[in-house]
């Protein structure tokens, strides 16, 4: 995680990264304006008044614009939430999901990490839109990416 600022609110069990937040995990890069981590504190009291233990992430909110890039796939939105307990990622606000030339647009997208199922809806703002380019999967396989 790279950002301009980090504020930890230990009594509230949250940490806020702000200012050009960049999160990298493997081949995935996520960018946002702010990232708020909500965690569950597993502190145990020691004899000297110190506390030890590990914290586990409960939820992470990303305020946008939010952009995710992973290989040939990308997504943008105004807001994103990762719910660790439900194992879901929810993008809201002008959601655009692309894989090479194939693009889906909606107001909200939910990805279930356990099942691999993604649902995109218009959220009362018109209809979900999709653009599918014939042969784009063949082009991706033969070139190792989306280039021509």
């Amino acid at each position: 995680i790279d950002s301009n600022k980090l504020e930890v609110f230990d009594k509230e069990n949250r940490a806020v990264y702000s200012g050009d937040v960049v999160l990298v995990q493997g081949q995935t890069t996520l960018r946002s304006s702010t990232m708020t981590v909500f965690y569950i504190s597993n502190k145990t009291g020691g004899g000297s008044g110190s506390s030890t233990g590990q914290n586990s992430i409960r939820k992470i909110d990303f305020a946008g614009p939010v952009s995710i890039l992973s290989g040939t796939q990308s997504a943008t939105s105004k807001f994103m939430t990762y719910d660790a307990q439900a194992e879901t990622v929810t993008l809201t606000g002008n959601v655009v999901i692309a894989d090479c030339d194939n693009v889906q647009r909606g107001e909200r997208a939910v990805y279930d990490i356990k099942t691999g199922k993604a649902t995109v809806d218009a959220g009362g703002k018109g209809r979900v839109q999709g653009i599918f380019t014939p042969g784009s999967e063949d082009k991706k396989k033969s070139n190792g990416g989306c280039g021509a």
Side-chain angles (χ1 to χ4, degrees), residues 34-66:
T34 63
M35 177 177 100
T36 305
V37 180
F38 300 89
Y39 55 90
I40 300 166
S41 181
N42 295 319
K43 294 182 179 180
T44 57
S48 64
S50 66
S51 61
T52 59
Q54 293 186 342
N55 297 330
S56 58
I57 294 173
R58 181 174 55 87
K59 178 176 92 161
I60 305 174
D61 286 342
F62 300 88
V66 178

Side-chain angles (χ1 to χ4, degrees), residues 93-108:
N94 295 328
V95 177
V96 178
I97 301 170
D99 188 359
C100 291
D101 296 333
N102 300 316
V103 179
Q104 289 77 48
R105 297 177 188 272
E107 193 58 28
R108 181 173 179 262

Side-chain angles (χ1 to χ4, degrees), residues 99-100 102 133-142:
D99 188 359
C100 291
N102 300 316
T133 305
S136 64
E137 283 298 311
D138 296 334
K139 185 171 33 170
K140 183 168 67 171
K141 288 176 187 172
S142 67

Side-chain angles (χ1 to χ4, degrees), residues 50-97:
S50 66
S51 61
T52 59
Q54 293 186 342
N55 297 330
S56 58
I57 294 173
R58 181 174 55 87
K59 178 176 92 161
I60 305 174
D61 286 342
F62 300 88
V66 178
S67 69
I68 307 163
L69 180 61
S70 184
T72 63
Q73 299 176 332
S74 66
T76 59
S77 67
K78 290 183 179 178
F79 191 80
M80 185 179 105
T81 297
Y82 164 67
D83 186 329
Q85 294 171 331
E87 295 188 60
T88 58
V89 175
T90 303
L91 294 94
T92 53
N94 295 328
V95 177
V96 178
I97 301 170

